[in-house]
Amino acid sequence: MDLTAERRLSAISGHLQELECDGDAKSLFSLGVTAGEFVNGQGYSVVLPEKLQTGKWNVYRSARSPLKLIRGFHEHPDIRTLHDNFVYKWMTYGETCTSRSAIGSGLIYHDIPKGACVGLYFINRPEWIIVDHACSAFSYVSVPLYDTLGPDAVSYIVNHASIQVVGGSDENLDFVPSINQPTVITYSKLYEQDNLKLVDDMAVLRPTVFASVPRLYNRIYAGVMNAVKTSGGLKEKLFNVAFNAKMQAILSGKNPSPIWDKLVFNKIKDKLGGRVRFMTSGASPLSQDIMDFLRVCFGGEVIEGYGMTETSCVISSMDVGDIMTGHVGSPNPACEIKLVDVPEMNYTSDDSPYPRGEICVRGPIVFQGYYKDEVQTKEVIDEDGWLHTGDIGLWLHGGRLKIIDRKRTSLSWHKGEYIAPEKLENVYAKCKFVSQCFIYGDSFNSCLVAVVAVDPEMLKNWAASDGIQYESLEQLCSDPRARAAVLAEMDDVGRQAELRGFEFAKAVTLVLDPFTLENGLLTPTFKARLRSRSRSHHYDTQRQGKPKWRARGKKSRESGRRRCVFEARRGDVGKTARAGEHEGNSPEVARRAGEARPLRFSSSMF
């Protein structure tokens, strides 16, 4: 090493604390791949200074590529974008190519100029991907038009992006509101999908890689655990012994005994086809015990990732072989991460033992900005190129990132505490009565309340066991005894999760309507849209009663159905709460839709 490099190493090492190892002081600082380039190793991540003159080491990169952010794959230099990398559909390449070429040729035939914006007005289905690929192949710009946004938002996007042509399925294109009057091209519907038959589909398709969201994994967990409890006796004891033995082996870094899979877990694996070896989770946080459950019951690798649309998806992901749970892994080699202080929430990058703050990302995967919206772009990307995600994270040992809060959705409590509703909803989702949960509160009131979309079967079973008579499920949901039973079960789950006192919901409203894409209460990525519409729920300050369902407002012209509006008034919800007016499908229609029903697992499989 030359003298210049030695002097730099000596000077920068002075900023670092030494680590005691077997009585000897050992520096965490090491020489990098290239002489004169230095990094501070943290296991799965490395730490670098953002600016050398500040002396602060706060930028984390993947240990797999510490000195240079990845912009492509050495083995596949032609792959530079997500479009190059992924073709996801149950079709052959030849079939896909033929469809793509036909669509692109059709656009040319209709005199659509190259570079024109093409609106994609589909639900999630193969045609969406095929048309998107056609746009890329024939030099068009694809613009998603989610059918769940409603006609007003679709009209805004069509006009804002100057869309010249809209492609979609017949049922979506009856009406496309726009002052631009774009060309409308329909794509014949190819198939139907039924979320209730998901388990049956998996048993037939027998996937080896299973990518999903916590909402589905929570349903699988609830279905299996309910079946275990129903089986009772020796079968329940056998499951618990097998689960604990296999979990202990995994935590010890050992291979679990195959006897437990043969006796118990292979029957659960078969419900997803029996061949799943790799499972991934994203879109929202996956609770630690659900992660442990998936690893034990399905075996193989279970990886949780973190990302957003603005970063071409993945910001960080768990490393293969990492047995620690409760985090989202190390940085993507194509980006770097730092935490920025949020003093109003008491999060700082100097917190000990774990630095905390808003997660900021920089690198070639970060988008250039929002289309025709310079103001909003400047709100999220600072002058140094850092994208401010709005998520609060902390660095665990080994350079693992953990998401702990959300800057924009946290509730500022009346005593100064901050509450993360999404974290509480993930906890309560493990309650046997809960299909979906929405937590609400504000700084003007002394407690939290919950709106629970119940599991009808669990509610009926409870009523039967307690000898409670009812004429309809709607009546049962409004029964004070039912609310008390659900709240008691939620309290038990909350205590197991070690929630703090002010994090417990003190009142609950039971509804049969699931939160769905169709009624506007879920986003296209299955996140709760209720957060932004929390003003829409009316909370009664005096009593809990039967929810009032009525549709006000104008019908959507393209479907004839009324658009969902979810508005709320502030009030003293400390005593009790009642779900108020919800516009959309009737409870009976939503109940039949069954979007949020838990997956069913028979106790006989144990």
Side-chain angles (χ1 to χ4, degrees):
M1 187 188 305
D2 60 39
L3 293 178
T4 301
E6 286 184 354
R7 286 197 297 269
R8 290 183 64 193
L9 178 58
S10 176
I12 300 176
S13 294
H15 291 288
L16 303 175
Q17 294 182 347
E18 293 182 333
L19 179 67
E20 292 290 336
C21 295
D22 300 325
D24 298 326
K26 181 181 179 181
S27 176
L28 292 175
F29 197 61
S30 60
L31 183 64
V33 179
T34 305
E37 299 286 354
F38 307 104
V39 295
N40 179 14
Q42 295 286 323
Y44 294 105
S45 303
V46 297
V47 190
L48 300 91
E50 181 179 1
K51 299 177 180 178
L52 280 177
Q53 61 267 31
T54 64
K56 186 172 183 178
W57 294 62
N58 63 335
V59 176
Y60 284 67
R61 290 183 179 179
S62 169
R64 290 169 289 175
S65 183
L67 302 178
K68 184 178 181 180
L69 298 182
I70 298 298
R71 293 179 178 271
F73 302 96
H74 293 298
E75 300 85 353
H76 305 283
D78 294 336
I79 297 178
R80 305 285 293 181
T81 67
L82 288 176
H83 171 75
D84 297 332
N85 196 32
F86 293 106
V87 179
Y88 176 72
K89 60 189 80 62
W90 296 106
M91 298 176 68
T92 67
Y93 289 103
E95 292 170 338
T96 303
C97 183
T98 299
S99 297
R100 181 190 66 177
S101 299
I103 293 171
S105 299
L107 294 174
I108 294 175
Y109 175 81
H110 284 282
D111 297 324
I112 306 301
K114 288 187 177 182
C117 291
V118 177
L120 306 184
Y121 205 3
F122 296 103
I123 60 173
N124 289 332
R125 54 194 294 175
E127 298 93 320
W128 201 108
I129 300 294
I130 294 171
V131 176
D132 183 46
H133 281 212
C135 290
S136 298
F138 286 79
S139 301
Y140 296 109
V141 179
S142 60
V143 181
L145 300 172
Y146 294 109
D147 64 332
T148 56
L149 296 177
D152 293 339
V154 170
S155 177
Y156 171 81
I157 295 172
V158 169
N159 296 321
H160 183 71
S162 302
I163 291 177
Q164 298 184 34
V165 60
V166 175
S169 53
D170 298 330
E171 67 274 18
N172 283 349
L173 296 176
D174 292 338
F175 171 71
V176 178
S178 172
I179 59 175
N180 290 334
Q181 296 182 342
T183 302
V184 175
I185 301 175
T186 63
Y187 197 126
S188 299
K189 192 171 183 180
L190 296 182
Y191 79 108
E192 293 283 352
Q193 58 181 0
D194 186 347
N195 291 329
L196 294 180
K197 297 180 180 179
L198 177 61
V199 174
D200 296 337
D201 291 341
M202 293 300 101
V204 174
L205 296 173
R206 303 184 67 210
T208 56
V209 177
F210 190 79
S212 190
V213 295
R215 177 169 171 264
L216 177 60
Y217 289 133
N218 288 339
R219 291 169 61 191
I220 294 175
Y221 171 85
V224 171
M225 298 311 296
N226 287 335
V228 170
K229 291 181 180 179
T230 302
S231 65
L234 181 60
K235 291 183 178 180
E236 183 177 7
K237 291 180 180 178
L238 177 61
F239 176 87
N240 291 333
V241 170
F243 188 95
N244 292 332
K246 193 171 179 180
M247 188 74 253
Q248 186 61 41
I250 292 174
L251 294 177
S252 302
K254 301 177 181 179
N255 292 323
S257 171
I259 188 65
W260 302 122
D261 286 338
K262 293 180 180 179
L263 291 176
V264 179
F265 301 116
N266 283 345
K267 299 176 183 178
I268 301 176
K269 293 179 184 178
D270 289 342
K271 293 297 180 179
L272 294 184
R275 298 198 306 168
V276 173
R277 57 178 171 78
F278 194 88
M279 306 176 82
T280 64
S281 178
S284 62
L286 182 68
S287 64
Q288 186 170 341
D289 52 350
I290 300 294
M291 170 72 77
D292 292 337
F293 166 84
L294 295 174
R295 286 182 169 179
V296 169
C297 291
F298 293 97
E301 291 288 344
V302 183
I303 301 296
E304 183 174 9
Y306 163 66
M308 50 198 302
T309 304
E310 289 86 343
T311 60
S312 308
C313 294
V314 181
I315 293 174
S316 69
S317 62
M318 299 175 66
D319 291 82
V320 173
D322 186 3
I323 62 174
M324 181 178 176
T325 58
H327 63 92
V328 292
S330 59
N332 180 339
C335 74
E336 52 190 1
I337 302 172
K338 72 172 182 177
L339 302 182
V340 174
D341 296 350
V342 186
E344 66 272 18
M345 299 178 70
N346 296 321
Y347 294 130
T348 75
S349 57
D350 294 322
D351 288 343
S352 181
Y354 306 117
R356 302 183 299 174
E358 181 184 8
I359 299 170
C360 296
V361 186
R362 185 172 65 181
I365 65 172
V366 175
F367 78 144
Q368 296 180 5
Y370 296 110
Y371 185 59
K372 293 183 180 179
D373 197 338
E374 186 177 352
V375 174
Q376 189 174 358
T377 298
K378 289 183 177 179
E379 289 178 358
V380 297
I381 300 181
D382 63 27
E383 58 185 9
D384 292 324
W386 290 99
L387 170 68
H388 293 247
T389 66
D391 293 313
I392 305 297
L394 63 78
W395 288 113
L396 296 171
H397 63 85
R400 301 173 173 96
L401 181 65
K402 180 181 178 68
I403 311 298
I404 59 173
D405 208 339
R406 177 68 182 165
K407 185 176 180 181
R408 297 187 181 94
T409 61
S410 295
L411 302 175
S412 177
W413 214 223
H414 65 293
K415 292 184 179 179
E417 304 98 339
Y418 279 86
I419 294 175
E422 292 179 356
K423 181 195 80 170
L424 304 182
E425 290 162 2
N426 287 330
V427 169
Y428 287 135
K430 289 174 279 187
C431 173
K432 66 181 181 181
F433 292 108
V434 176
S435 286
Q436 292 163 293
C437 180
F438 170 62
I439 295 295
Y440 177 80
D442 59 45
S443 58
F444 296 94
N445 299 288
S446 59
C447 71
L448 298 175
V449 295
V451 179
V452 170
V454 296
D455 175 359
E457 296 302 321
M458 288 294 103
L459 196 63
K460 288 190 290 186
N461 292 342
W462 166 82
S465 64
D466 281 29
I468 295 176
Q469 303 296 321
Y470 58 93
E471 296 180 358
S472 66
L473 284 175
E474 289 85 352
Q475 179 188 5
L476 186 58
C477 284
S478 64
D479 192 312
R481 293 170 294 181
R483 292 197 299 269
V486 172
L487 193 58
E489 180 76 13
M490 292 172 63
D491 287 344
D492 288 342
V493 172
R495 283 190 288 269
Q496 294 174 16
E498 300 181 349
L499 297 183
R500 296 169 292 180
F502 56 84
E503 292 181 310
F504 283 82
K506 302 301 183 183
V508 63
T509 289
L510 309 182
V511 297
L512 288 175
D513 294 52
F515 310 151
T516 68
L517 293 170
E518 288 73 21
N519 63 23
L521 301 183
L522 285 182
T523 69
T525 55
F526 295 103
K527 296 178 182 177
R529 200 189 297 274
L530 296 144
R531 192 78 53 221
S532 62
R533 300 182 179 184
S534 58
R535 294 175 309 191
S536 66
H537 241 316
H538 292 256
Y539 288 100
D540 193 318
T541 61
Q542 300 298 327
R543 62 185 179 86
Q544 275 187 312
K546 181 177 180 180
K548 292 182 178 179
W549 300 89
R550 70 180 186 185
R552 329 181 260 129
K554 298 180 179 180
K555 290 185 178 180
S556 169
R557 283 183 284 177
E558 74 271 29
S559 65
R561 292 179 298 179
R562 298 184 185 272
R563 288 188 293 126
C564 172
V565 179
F566 202 21
E567 287 192 321
R569 292 175 183 164
R570 283 187 182 139
D572 181 6
V573 295
K575 298 179 181 179
T576 183
R578 176 173 66 85
E581 298 159 9
H582 167 86
E583 299 183 333
N585 294 332
S586 68
E588 184 62 25
V589 171
R591 182 180 65 80
R592 289 198 303 266
E595 171 71 16
R597 293 178 186 170
L599 301 180
R600 298 294 172 201
F601 292 85
S602 171
S603 59
S604 62
M605 69 181 182
F606 300 109

